Amino acid sequence: MRKDAWKPIDEHVLRTLEQLFEDEPDRLCRLTNEVAGLYFDWSKTHLNGALIESFAALGEARGFAAARDALFAGEIVNITENRSADHVAERGSGEAGAVQLAASRRLRMRALIDAVEAGAFGDVTGILHIGIGGSALGPALLVDALGRTTAKARVRFLSNIDPQAFEQAAQALDPATTLIVVVSKTFTTAESLSNLDAALDWLRGGGIADPYGRVIAVTAAPEAAIAAGIDESRILQFSEAVGGRYSLWSSVSVSAALALGWESFEEMLEGAAEMDRHFRFTEPAKNVPLIAAFADLLYTQRLGCQTRAVFPYDERLGLLVPYLQQLEMESNGKSVTAAGEPVGRPTSPVVWGGVGTDAQHAVFQLLHQGTAVVPVEFVAVAQDDGPLVDHHRQLLLNAFAQGAALMSGRTSDDPHRTYAGNRPSATILLDRLDARTLGVLLAFYEHRTFACAVLLGINPFDQFGVELGKEIASELSDGADAQSLDPSTRSLIERAAI
Ligand code: F6P
């Protein structure tokens, strides 16, 4: 009975998928693009020429070109906070005034880095970078992706307020030669301020007479950093209009620039600027952030996919997944339009993922045979300069084979050994991984997120959703009566005896 009731629904969904995945002989050449050393392949998705045209028409109806122009012109695009979104200015794209301001702040950042390198902070062998969310995920990704073997200093990232995190970070460093870099846009974030206090104590305990003298602060609220005891000469300011999750292009990345070298940092900015130009001036049918946004909408809106999985087939890009989780979910995890009306359709999918081939041996079962269709994104790097040439070849072959298997499937008389196929994946293949290509890649993801938001009619630049839980924790921490809370939360507090 139940099966019959479901039949028409199943058939409808299958028909939709089949129609979309129609056999087009020129599919590969029309659904691949090359931009600045990155090759994008959407030919294993259900996008096709007609759909791209329809989505482009949707973009027109939604005023996409004007919204993009407004972003680059430094207009108020973050309307709920009455701000522009100036991250593009950090890499020299967009409105002249914001570009100039970013450039002058970059000069200060450079001067401070020069001073560190010239010994103004004594011998520096390690950096303790304190920050959370957008104040940590970007720089951590940069250091991990580009500095594994070449970093000039040992950098440890401390984000969580968990004492275990502090212990682990401090253990790896020597207080006598460690520079503290505390990054907080608001300079009010409890985790970062508590960790800064703990780090200052740790320096004192290590015999440093003037621990504040070893702290660089990066913030959009310099007055708050000064109030916390940091000398103005060691504060790097960035703009209020640069969102935390879009801020790695600014002095937020000072520890990464120290570890990787100034040249690398600038190359990353240049790569991002190249993607900015592509995004601004390329027609929709060839515009890679826009095409990616079309695919995202296709899967969330039309095929009911609630998640999207990203699998970097390169250890150095392992931190791409948490970085994207914040970028995409904090930006587009919304239920109301920019005007405050219910969106009425799904917005951001849940972004998850893991590193290939580890993920292959853990979660890919569900991707191939599970009941949920998950659009997958493989990110791989063609060139590897390491000595284990065949390892790298195997790594890439595995990534490509997974995409082929998801798409083509395999029939069998045995239902357990049947792969339905027709499961979508996109592949992004970098010629090589360096500062420039990483800049291109990350700017691609930013613009894709923005494009999705415009097509959905939402504001990607605010994040009010994170506030409520923080407020409750802070009130409790300040001594608020737990009796006003629900019974479950009350008894958890009692049980933990805190
Ligand atoms: O709670 C979320 C958030 O506000 C993020 O948007 C931000 O990146 C992070 O916290 C850290 O904030 P801040 O840089 O102000 O310390």
Side-chain angles (χ1 to χ4, degrees), residues 132-135 184-186 189 244-245 326 330 463 466 470:
I132 196 163
S135 290
S184 176
K185 180 175 172 186
T186 55
T189 303
R245 55 193 173 276
Q326 186 195 15
E330 198 168 77
Q463 60 285 318
V466 301
K470 277 200 259 188

